[in-house]
Amino acid sequence: MRKKIRSVLVMLRECVAMSVSNILGNRVRSFLTILGIMIGVTAVIALITTVSGVSGALSSSFSSMGAGTLMVSVTGSDLKTGMTTDDLNELTEMDEIDGITPTVSLSARVSYGGSYQSSISVAGKNAYYFYTNDVKLRGRTLNIVDEDNMSYVCMINQDIIDDFFFGIDPVGETLYISGIPFYVVGIFSDENTESLASAFTGSSDILIPYTTALKMNNEGEVTSFTVYLADGVDSDTAADKIEDKMDAMFSYEDDCFTITTMSSVEDTMNEMLSMMTMLLAGIASIALVVGGIGIMNMMLTTVTERTVEIGLKKALGAIPWQIQIQFLIESFLLSIIGGLVGVAFGLILSYILCQVMGTTFVISAGAIALGVGFSAAVGIVFGWAPARKASRLNPIDALRSM
C-alpha cells in the first residue's frame, strides 16, 4: 500500500514538473492564457472589496444620521388626514420620546428688491428642532412664540445670502416668500443638518415656523415629523409603542402611517448593496469564463502538439487517468497562477479606488476565496475536455504521426 501511494506521489510530482516545464517553454502563449484569468479575478476582487468598503461607509453615515431618531410619514385616512398639534403633544408626553420635530415643506417664489427666484425650498420647523440641531450661525432661531403666533419670520442659509444679499447684512431685512413679507431673524448652516429626516426630505434654503408653513399650504395637520428618542431607548421598541399610540389616533385603520427606523433603512440599503455586488460579480465573472475558454484553447493546442509524447507514454504503459491528470494539472496551474496574480492586482486596485472615494479599505476574505476558488474551478472545468481527449488518444495513431 505504501509503495502504491509513493508511486502516485512520485507520478504527481513528475506531472507538476512537466507542466511547469511546458508552461515555461511556451511563455508568450502561457502569459496570454494567464492574463484572461488574471483580469477576471482582478475585476471580481476589486468590485467586491470596493463595494464592501462603500457599504461600511454608508452604514456608518446612516447610523450617525439616524442615531436616536425615527421618521414618521402620515398618509392619513378618510376621517383624519394628518397629525394635529395636540396629537404631536400627546406623543411627546410618552416616556420614550424626548421631542418631536414636524416638517412642512413647500416650494415658493422668493424675492428681495428687484431680484427673485422660483422653486426655492422652504421648510417649516419648530423650536425643538433648533434645540437638537446646532444650525444657527448668526441672529436668533425660531421659537415657541413664533409657532403660537404663526409669525412671518424666517432663517436663511448661505445660498439665499449669495443670491439676494450680496454685501448686505440679511438679519433684519424683509424677504418676500410667495408674496408674503418675512422678517429675516437669523442665518443657519446646512452642514449641521444631517439627520434621518434630511436623508428623505433633503435640505432647505429657508426655515420658517411650521405653523406658518401649514397656513401657507392651507393645511391644518402635519404629515411628516421626526421623533427624537430619550436616552437609552431602543428604536424598535419605541417604534412599536408609537405605532400603538397612533393606531388609536387613526381609529385602527390600516396603512395610515409609516414609521421608518434606522434598522429598516440599513436592511434595505444592505439588501440593495448585496444585489449590486452579486450583479457586478456576475458581470466580472464573464471575464473568468473567457479566460477559461483561453485555457481550453491552449490545452487543445498542447494536446495536438504533444501527440507523439502521449503515444509514447501510452505505449510504455501509461494508463488514461495518468495522462488525464497530467493535462489537468497543467490547466490548473495556469488558472491558479492567474488567480493569485489577479487577487494581488485586485486588492491594489480596490485600495486605490477606496482612497479616491474616501472610503475605508477592508480586505474581504470571502472575495479572495471566491476569486481563487473560481479560478481553480475554471482551470479544472475547462481543462477537463482537452485532458480527456489526450487520455483517449490511440497510441498507434499517435505514433504514426512521428
Side-chain angles (χ1 to χ4, degrees), residues 285-320:
S285 299
I286 296 175
L288 279 173
V289 176
V290 173
I293 294 173
I295 288 179
M296 180 182 287
N297 182 55
M298 176 182 173
M299 296 308 299
L300 287 172
T301 304
T302 301
V303 169
T304 303
E305 291 177 348
R306 295 164 63 183
T307 300
V308 175
E309 175 190 333
I310 295 169
L312 287 173
K313 285 183 177 181
K314 298 194 77 171
L316 293 174
I319 57 180

Side-chain angles (χ1 to χ4, degrees), residues 112 137-140 156-158 160-162 164-175 183-187:
Y112 174 80
L137 291 179
R138 193 155 54 84
R140 72 169 178 87
I156 60 175
N157 65 2
Q158 189 62 45
I160 298 297
I161 296 174
D162 295 339
F164 297 102
F165 300 101
F166 184 75
I168 302 173
D169 184 3
V171 177
E173 296 292 325
T174 300
L175 187 69
Y183 185 73
V184 180
V185 296
I187 301 169

Side-chain angles (χ1 to χ4, degrees), residues 23-65:
I23 291 172
L24 294 176
N26 298 276
R27 287 184 175 85
V28 176
R29 188 166 64 188
S30 298
F31 170 75
L32 293 176
T33 304
I34 291 172
L35 186 63
I37 298 295
M38 185 188 75
I39 292 174
V41 174
T42 298
V44 170
I45 296 294
L47 287 172
I48 294 179
T49 306
T50 303
V51 171
S52 297
V54 172
S55 176
L58 287 176
S59 295
S60 176
S61 178
F62 270 92
S63 296
S64 63
M65 285 194 299

Side-chain angles (χ1 to χ4, degrees), residues 62-199:
F62 270 92
S63 296
S64 63
M65 285 194 299
T69 61
L70 302 175
M71 184 69 185
V72 182
S73 178
V74 180
T75 53
S77 63
D78 293 336
L79 299 177
K80 186 178 178 64
T81 59
M83 300 286 287
T84 64
T85 300
D86 292 338
D87 293 332
L88 296 178
N89 291 335
E90 186 177 345
L91 287 179
T92 306
E93 292 174 359
M94 295 175 62
D95 295 335
E96 293 80 12
I97 297 178
D98 188 58
I100 289 178
T101 297
T103 299
V104 183
S105 302
L106 61 142
S107 180
R109 185 179 186 272
V110 177
S111 63
Y112 174 80
S115 302
Y116 71 90
Q117 283 195 24
S118 301
S119 301
I120 296 296
S121 177
V122 181
K125 299 292 184 180
N126 65 351
Y128 185 81
Y129 172 81
F130 300 97
Y131 173 75
T132 56
N133 294 274
D134 183 20
V135 299
K136 187 188 76 170
L137 291 179
R138 193 155 54 84
R140 72 169 178 87
T141 61
L142 308 180
N143 54 42
I144 297 177
V145 176
D146 296 327
E147 297 173 31
D148 294 340
N149 296 330
M150 297 184 186
S151 302
Y152 292 106
V153 294
C154 68
M155 296 182 70
I156 60 175
N157 65 2
Q158 189 62 45
D159 291 337
I160 298 297
I161 296 174
D162 295 339
D163 292 337
F164 297 102
F165 300 101
F166 184 75
I168 302 173
D169 184 3
V171 177
E173 296 292 325
T174 300
L175 187 69
Y176 287 83
I177 303 175
S178 295
I180 302 173
F182 277 76
Y183 185 73
V184 180
V185 296
I187 301 169
F188 72 94
S189 170
D190 295 308
E191 296 179 357
N192 298 324
T193 58
E194 289 188 358
S195 64
L196 184 60
S198 64

Side-chain angles (χ1 to χ4, degrees), residues 214-271:
L214 286 173
K215 183 179 179 180
M216 294 178 67
N217 280 342
N218 295 318
E219 297 173 349
E221 297 174 321
V222 174
T223 57
S224 177
F225 59 93
T226 303
V227 177
Y228 292 83
L229 304 179
D231 292 338
V233 175
D234 180 69
S235 60
D236 292 330
T237 302
D240 292 338
K241 293 186 177 182
I242 293 171
E243 183 177 354
D244 293 339
K245 193 80 169 179
M246 292 184 64
D247 278 337
M249 292 178 179
F250 285 91
S251 303
Y252 298 96
E253 291 193 32
D254 295 331
D255 302 326
C256 292
F257 57 88
T258 302
I259 300 176
T260 303
T261 63
M262 196 61 248
S263 58
S264 64
V265 175
E266 287 192 31
D267 289 343
T268 302
M269 182 196 68
N270 289 332
E271 184 178 349

